[in-house]
Amino acid sequence: MRSLQFRLMAAFTLVILATIGTVFFFINQATQDEIQQFEERVAQVRAERMQRELSFYYFSRGNWDGVQSIVTQMGNIYGQRVVLADASGTIVADSEFNLLGRPFAENFNITVPGRLLMPPWPGPTIGTLHVSSQSSTSLASLSILYSEVGRFFLWGAFVAIGIAFVIAFLLSRRILAPVKSLSSAARRIGRGDFSQKLVTGDKSELGELAIAFNSMSDDLERAEKLRRNLVADTAHELRTPLSNIRGYLEAIRDDVVKPDANTINSLYEEVTLLTRLVEDLQELALAEANQLTLVRQAEDITAVVHQAVSAAGAQALQKGVSLRTDFHGDLPPCDIDLQRIKQVLHNLLDNAIAHTSAGGNITVAARPEANWVEISVADTGEGIASAELPNIFERFYRVDKSRSRATGGHGLGLTIAKRLVEAHGGKIEAHSEPGEGSRFSFTVPGSSSGIPSPE
């Protein structure tokens, strides 16, 4: 009884019964009205006929003597009680015989107003004709309906319900087939089989549901691959510094290496790398869980850019890369977390310096854009292939797979930068052509409230 098929059949049956019942009710009402009007017209014709016959009888005889037989015959023919009173109101004929000689009274079972019998010439009335009302029209109409129309409604209801069951069965099968496929595919996806796809040519909501399910399956498969890659890449990134630390410690234990300043510095660098990797992973996890705490306030974005460029100046100078700034127009104060935006700029500058050869240029520009400020970092480095651009913000992704950690980092810098920018409500984009350099740009909001997201 809980199945969709049963519910569809029950719904069709109820709709058909309600429709037939409603139609029957209105037909019954219309039939009663028609029968009542017909009876009124028939009664009118009968009364006029009796009125003419009785008037003719009186003028042919000159009195009402012997009229009882005529009135009795009229009552038998028309199935109604007929009462005739003379001009003084005394009943001279009654089809039921029990009112003869009595004065006419309102308490008799005759509800139709009396008809005056008039002479053919101007003069006083010669009597009054009273005819009883007819039987109930509602009973007559129902009798006609049940005997003549009711059986057609009954058979029609049976036929309609049978057709409804067939339609509901076919329709439910058509609806339930993709739903069952969806349920089966969902169970297999729950067991880790993300290859499940729904194939349907339906253009209705079921087709849209199948498309959404397939999209969800692709997203889950991609998320699962990213999760596995994250675990594998994290293990790989942790393994190298841990192996180095273990090697140094084993060498010190075996007196192969002396625990001098150089050895301690090497160990410190490996621990620093581990610490930075763990901190980046923690920060990335918080950002993706929307639990990153931002201390936002109005900041001078020009000063923030200058500070970031100054901090990266020594690294750029050491590599022989020119680093400059370019500001367009008056920049408004920005509603940002100072340390987080500095971190974004640091990651972008570190990435630009790492991928720009000696003699190249890096330009950090800022310009107002409605209620936002766009900041960009453009370099003249090696560039990025178009096939690689969609992946550069993924965790542990490196364009140059052979690049060492010393030059390529651990692959989290751009991912963290993206999450920090999005936490501010902005967006970050990358544009690049191989051999022509790259340009990374991101937006930060102005300090006024209610700022819409940039297009």
Side-chain angles (χ1 to χ4, degrees):
M1 294 181 65
R2 295 181 179 180
S3 67
L4 180 60
Q5 190 174 44
F6 176 81
R7 294 179 183 181
L8 282 173
M9 291 181 177
F12 272 97
T13 302
L14 290 176
V15 169
I16 290 172
L17 292 177
T19 302
I20 291 178
T22 302
V23 172
F24 187 86
F25 171 78
F26 283 110
I27 289 180
N28 178 55
Q29 292 297 114
T31 303
Q32 288 188 25
D33 293 339
E34 289 296 327
I35 291 177
Q36 184 175 3
Q37 294 177 9
F38 175 75
E39 287 184 344
E40 290 176 355
R41 290 193 296 270
V42 170
Q44 178 74 17
V45 172
R46 289 175 178 175
E48 291 177 353
R49 181 181 300 171
M50 287 186 287
Q51 188 177 10
R52 288 194 300 270
E53 290 180 2
L54 291 174
S55 296
F56 178 78
Y57 180 88
Y58 182 86
F59 289 111
S60 63
R61 296 292 184 91
N63 54 50
W64 293 115
D65 294 341
V67 75
Q68 175 63 44
S69 61
I70 302 295
V71 170
T72 301
Q73 185 180 13
M74 289 179 178
N76 293 331
I77 293 174
Y78 299 128
Q80 295 175 273
R81 186 177 186 180
V82 181
V83 177
L84 175 64
D86 60 13
S88 65
T90 301
I91 296 175
V92 295
D94 180 6
S95 60
E96 294 185 1
F97 296 98
N98 55 359
L99 297 179
L100 292 174
R102 299 171 58 183
F104 185 83
E106 294 293 336
N107 58 356
F108 295 151
N109 187 24
I110 300 176
T111 58
V112 179
R115 290 178 170 272
L116 299 178
L117 303 179
M118 304 296 295
W121 54 83
T125 60
I126 58 176
T128 305
L129 175 65
H130 299 276
V131 183
S132 64
S133 61
Q134 291 181 316
S135 59
S136 173
T137 59
S138 60
L139 294 177
S141 64
L142 287 175
S143 175
I144 292 174
L145 281 178
Y146 291 141
S147 61
E148 302 297 333
V149 182
R151 65 174 180 270
F152 293 105
F153 270 90
L154 186 62
W155 282 109
F158 287 143
V159 172
I161 291 174
I163 295 174
F165 277 150
V166 174
I167 294 176
F169 178 76
L170 297 176
L171 184 62
S172 62
R173 286 189 60 183
R174 182 177 179 84
I175 294 175
L176 291 177
V179 173
K180 290 180 178 178
S181 299
L182 176 63
S183 300
S184 177
R187 285 191 292 268
R188 289 194 291 269
I189 286 179
R191 293 192 292 266
D193 182 6
F194 298 103
S195 63
Q196 301 302 313
K197 296 292 184 293
L198 295 179
V199 179
T200 176
D202 199 336
K203 302 298 182 181
S204 66
E205 290 81 357
L206 289 175
E208 295 178 0
L209 177 62
I211 294 173
F213 179 86
N214 292 337
S215 177
M216 179 198 70
S217 177
D218 292 337
D219 292 340
L220 288 174
E221 184 176 12
R222 182 171 179 272
E224 179 63 15
K225 288 181 179 178
L226 289 176
R227 184 189 67 80
R228 292 176 180 174
N229 292 338
L230 174 61
V231 173
D233 290 338
T234 301
H236 177 73
E237 294 294 330
L238 291 173
R239 184 182 296 114
T240 301
L242 287 173
S243 297
N244 292 337
I245 294 173
R246 180 179 179 179
Y248 277 114
L249 292 176
E250 288 178 349
I252 293 172
R253 183 190 63 185
D254 297 336
D255 294 328
V256 176
V257 175
K258 300 296 182 182
D260 53 14
N262 290 332
T263 304
I264 293 175
N265 287 336
S266 297
L267 288 172
Y268 181 78
E269 289 178 0
E270 297 297 337
V271 171
T272 301
L273 179 61
L274 276 175
T275 303
R276 181 181 175 187
L277 177 58
V278 171
E279 289 176 350
D280 286 347
L281 286 172
Q282 182 181 17
E283 190 167 32
L284 182 60
L286 290 174
E288 292 185 339
N290 295 322
Q291 296 179 355
L292 193 64
T293 302
L294 297 180
V295 182
R296 299 174 65 166
Q297 59 185 9
E299 300 286 352
D300 183 358
I301 196 65
T302 303
V304 174
V305 172
H306 277 305
Q307 292 171 11
V309 171
S310 298
Q315 183 183 357
L317 182 62
Q318 183 180 2
K319 193 172 181 181
V321 176
S322 174
L323 185 59
R324 68 185 186 90
T325 59
D326 183 16
F327 297 98
H328 300 270
D330 295 330
L331 301 178
C334 293
D335 181 25
I336 60 174
D337 183 320
L338 177 62
Q339 298 304 321
R340 301 297 188 184
I341 296 303
K342 280 186 178 181
Q343 185 177 359
V344 173
L345 285 168
H346 169 74
N347 290 348
L348 294 181
L349 286 169
D350 186 60
N351 182 73
I353 294 171
H355 292 82
T356 303
S357 303
N361 299 309
I362 298 175
T363 302
V364 182
R367 64 185 181 89
E369 184 180 285
N371 293 321
W372 295 76
V373 173
E374 183 190 67
I375 304 170
S376 64
V377 178
D379 61 62
T380 58
E382 58 201 33
I384 305 171
S386 58
E388 305 284 351
L389 277 176
N391 302 314
I392 59 175
F393 292 107
E394 300 295 341
R395 309 180 192 95
F396 298 110
Y397 188 83
R398 294 190 184 90
V399 175
D400 185 357
K401 305 299 186 296
S402 63
R403 187 177 294 275
S404 67
R405 284 178 187 78
T407 56
H410 48 61
L412 290 177
L414 291 179
T415 307
I416 292 174
K418 182 176 185 292
R419 296 294 186 267
L420 292 178
V421 170
E422 291 175 346
H424 283 79
K427 64 177 183 178
I428 187 169
E429 296 176 333
H431 303 276
S432 182
E433 291 291 338
E436 297 183 6
S438 304
R439 180 180 182 272
F440 290 82
S441 62
F442 65 95
T443 54
V444 291
S447 61
S448 59
S449 60
I451 300 173
S453 177
E455 297 296 334

